[in-house]
Amino acid sequence: MRRTEITPDRLLGEVRAFYDPTRWRFLTVNATDTGAELLIDWIFVPIGRDEEPVILSSCVAYQAPLPSLAALIPASALGEAEMCDLLGVAFEGAKPGLFLEPDAPRAPLLKTPRERDDD
Amino acid sequence: MIKQLHIPLGSQHAALLEPLRLDFSTENERIVSVRSDMGYVHRGVEHACMNRFDFKKVPFVVARVCGLCAITHSTAAVLATEQIVECMVSERAQWLRMLALEFDRIHSHMLCLAHVAESSGYEALFMHTMMERERVMEAQEILSGNRVQFDYATLGGVTRDMDSQCAQALLAKVGALKSVLSGLRDRFEANWSTQMRFKGVGAITLEEAYRLGTVGPIARAAGVRTDIRIESSHLPYRALGFEPIVALEGDLYARNRLRLEEIAQSIELIERILEGLPEGAHLSKVRGRPKGEAMARIEAPRGELFYYVRGNGGAIFERLRIRTPTYANLKAFEAIFLGQEYSSIPAILASLDPCMSCTAK
């Protein structure tokens, strides 16, 4: 997997520079807890061609605010909400609750799941 | 005078096959806004695979994400994992995996078509389609030993080999299905009342399909030439001369027609696989533990299914991520409903073939 590392503040500019929805499909945004920080991948795949995907990556601190792609790519909102729910990623405008009930463990896919505020 | 109504549908409703909540606002009978909510059947499958199960068991665990497309989940999981362990999968095993995937596509498409017929009030066509679908379920049992949860794809290959007797039985099953397919197509495509019910209903334009990132039959029925069978080389579909089928209209009628054509195409692919099945072992040894990261995409019956795995040399994955086709299509669902008559919702929804069990995982 070949990644292009970016800083979160460059995300929207980088995406605008290459993203043509008739040539690229936004596959998903993924987050991985590396143990020290979160690895965020925004994955784009070519439509109708067997070519390498474009993966924009950023390593960020837990709970660091991240921009949303939803205004540019409506389908990204769901992935951002899922990462907010399961890993506590602070995407702009995303709220927990897509999959988890209010009384469920918070950010359960983190290596050290967060304490609930009301615990 | 315009009468405005707010109509919630789901999460449990007789017209819904799976738990999904749709909040419609209508002006008279026409839908002017819609909001969807899902996640009612979240079972923490990713969490279980990252905390409890050895990587060799993961393909069997993820097969439980969904009963209908179990084989697509386990195949995507093994295709991703095999990239980060020591493993040489034979060509025969890859062809057998394609065989199982094509059978899965046929029965899934037939189930969708049956539900569209039922939701449109054509119960005879529903029963007829389900009856013919039984041939595929029986074929899956011949191939794998089970009709639904067959745990066929595994790390290193497939769990069962196939002899010539089995191949002949499968050819007979698809041959029988082929002979009745034109009758089914006639009822879905040429019947006057189904044309009235389906043509121009629940359409999505090509531009919207691109903008909303749709996948699978919904995208192809709107003219997007996308199919992971040509976009990824994890499985050797090129050796079968596969080319995606595309329609233009983007409506319910086009989605039905596309699925019927894809069933015929899958039958042809199955025949080519059975005729040209390479020799070799059906299962190879897997050595080592997953180290590194990999992703795999396959064309599930509903569209692109994505798996990402990451291992650190331990027996349990550090990360496993699943992105299902319905998940990718949810935004398009909302766009498709806008402007439609409320009475068309059950048929439109059935034609979108949502799988919430996969999506909420």
Side-chain angles (χ1 to χ4, degrees):
Chain A
M1 287 176 58
R2 273 192 307 200
R3 291 186 165 92
T4 305
E5 289 197 19
I6 58 161
T7 51
D9 58 308
R10 281 175 47 212
L11 175 70
L12 285 167
E14 290 282 339
V15 173
R16 277 199 191 99
F18 87 93
Y19 179 67
D20 169 358
T22 64
R23 291 182 51 77
W24 295 93
R25 178 170 55 245
F26 176 71
L27 195 148
T28 194
V29 58
N30 186 41
T32 304
D33 182 1
T34 62
E37 56 194 353
L38 287 173
L39 168 64
I40 312 289
D41 290 325
W42 290 269
I43 308 170
F44 298 82
V45 290
I47 298 174
R49 328 185 292 283
D50 182 10
E51 291 172 15
E52 283 281 302
V54 168
I55 306 173
L56 303 177
S57 279
S58 205
C59 284
V60 297
Y62 298 102
Q63 293 182 305
L66 287 171
S68 168
L69 283 180
L72 198 59
I73 306 168
S76 70
L78 211 52
E80 290 168 5
E82 181 185 346
M83 293 305 108
C84 172
D85 217 12
L86 300 182
L87 285 122
V89 186
F91 281 109
E92 185 190 343
K95 288 180 192 154
L98 179 72
F99 288 145
L100 302 180
E101 294 298 318
D103 59 348
R106 199 153 288 180
L109 295 189
L110 288 179
K111 288 187 172 170
T112 311
R114 274 184 209 143
E115 294 287 315
R116 294 183 52 78
D117 298 339
D118 49 358
D119 282 345
Chain B
M1 192 181 99
I2 291 172
K3 189 174 180 184
Q4 292 199 330
L5 283 173
H6 171 70
I7 308 172
L9 181 74
S11 56
Q12 301 291 331
H13 191 280
L16 290 172
L17 299 168
E18 303 211 35
L20 166 70
R21 184 180 168 84
L22 295 161
D23 282 317
F24 294 106
S25 293
T26 65
E27 286 183 356
N28 294 338
E29 288 289 310
R30 203 162 289 280
I31 292 159
V32 292
S33 80
V34 57
R35 201 170 57 84
S36 63
D37 185 19
M38 50 94 163
Y40 294 96
V41 282
H42 180 64
R43 286 145 291 154
V45 172
E46 290 174 352
H47 185 268
C49 294
M50 292 161 62
N51 289 282
R52 185 165 295 200
F53 293 101
D54 182 290
F55 74 99
K56 286 183 181 170
K57 291 179 186 150
V58 163
F60 307 119
V61 177
V62 296
R64 271 72 190 166
V65 166
C66 172
L68 201 59
C69 31
I71 187 67
T72 62
H73 282 278
S74 50
T75 306
V78 298
L79 289 173
T81 310
E82 281 164 359
Q83 296 172 54
I84 54 171
V85 292
E86 287 174 48
C87 177
M88 283 291 289
V89 182
S90 72
E91 210 182 339
R92 183 180 182 84
Q94 295 285 43
W95 280 54
L96 287 170
R97 285 173 180 175
M98 290 193 294
L99 184 65
L101 287 174
E102 293 312 311
F103 275 121
D104 186 66
R105 191 176 327 279
I106 297 175
H107 91 74
S108 179
H109 279 5
M110 291 185 86
L111 183 71
C112 171
L113 289 162
H115 284 309
V116 171
E118 186 190 29
S119 305
S120 314
Y122 199 165
E123 287 188 16
L125 186 54
F126 162 76
M127 285 187 264
H128 187 99
T129 311
M130 290 300 275
M131 183 183 75
E132 302 302 350
R133 177 177 174 265
E134 274 305 293
R135 296 175 202 274
V136 192
M137 306 309 283
E138 287 164 8
Q140 291 189 154
E141 189 172 3
I142 293 168
L143 175 68
S144 67
N146 212 342
R147 286 161 54 93
V148 183
Q149 281 288 1
F150 37 82
D151 290 335
Y152 187 61
T154 187
L155 287 173
V158 292
T159 50
R160 265 165 79 131
D161 202 1
M162 188 168 58
D163 56 20
S164 59
Q165 224 178 346
C166 175
Q168 287 306 316
L170 292 177
L171 280 171
K173 287 285 179 200
V174 291
L177 182 61
K178 204 188 215 175
S179 67
V180 297
L181 196 58
S182 63
L184 264 184
R185 288 173 80 152
D186 200 42
R187 285 180 183 87
F188 273 101
E189 292 173 19
N191 180 290
W192 181 80
S193 56
T194 53
Q195 284 193 40
M196 291 286 287
R197 198 80 169 84
F198 300 151
K199 274 195 173 173
V201 173
I204 184 168
T205 63
L206 177 62
E207 291 72 27
E208 281 285 276
Y210 275 127
R211 189 179 73 84
L212 298 171
T214 52
V215 296
I218 299 173
R220 288 192 290 278
V224 181
R225 189 179 173 275
T226 180
D227 194 308
I228 309 307
R229 288 174 285 183
I230 57 160
E231 292 173 15
S232 162
S233 43
H234 286 310
L235 290 168
Y237 274 100
R238 281 194 195 87
L240 301 176
F242 171 79
E243 270 298 315
I245 296 168
V246 176
L248 289 173
E249 302 86 345
D251 58 3
L252 206 161
Y253 184 80
R255 288 193 285 276
N256 285 347
R257 207 182 62 217
L258 183 106
R259 287 194 176 98
L260 285 158
E261 285 177 25
E262 287 194 348
I263 290 170
Q265 185 185 45
S266 288
I267 290 173
E268 274 178 38
L269 292 174
I270 287 169
E271 287 173 338
R272 281 180 219 160
I273 292 168
L274 291 171
E275 282 156 14
L277 190 64
E279 291 297 322
H282 71 287
L283 190 60
S284 314
K285 279 214 162 134
V286 176
R287 292 187 176 83
R289 286 175 166 179
K291 192 163 189 184
E293 56 181 352
M295 55 188 250
R297 296 186 293 141
I298 63 168
E299 185 69 22
R302 292 167 182 77
E304 178 186 44
L305 173 65
F306 164 80
Y307 266 69
Y308 167 81
V309 292
R310 180 183 171 112
N312 55 11
I316 293 178
F317 285 125
E318 193 177 22
R319 178 78 167 107
L320 178 130
R321 172 80 199 284
I322 306 168
R323 200 287 260 130
T324 62
T326 299
Y327 193 94
N329 283 335
L330 268 178
K331 281 285 164 195
F333 285 15
E334 295 175 1
I336 287 170
F337 288 130
L338 287 181
Q340 299 298 310
E341 294 282 327
Y342 186 73
S343 57
S344 296
I345 293 306
I348 294 172
L349 192 58
S351 80
L352 299 175
D353 201 12
C355 187
M356 304 322 294
S357 181
C358 281
T359 303
K361 55 201 189 263

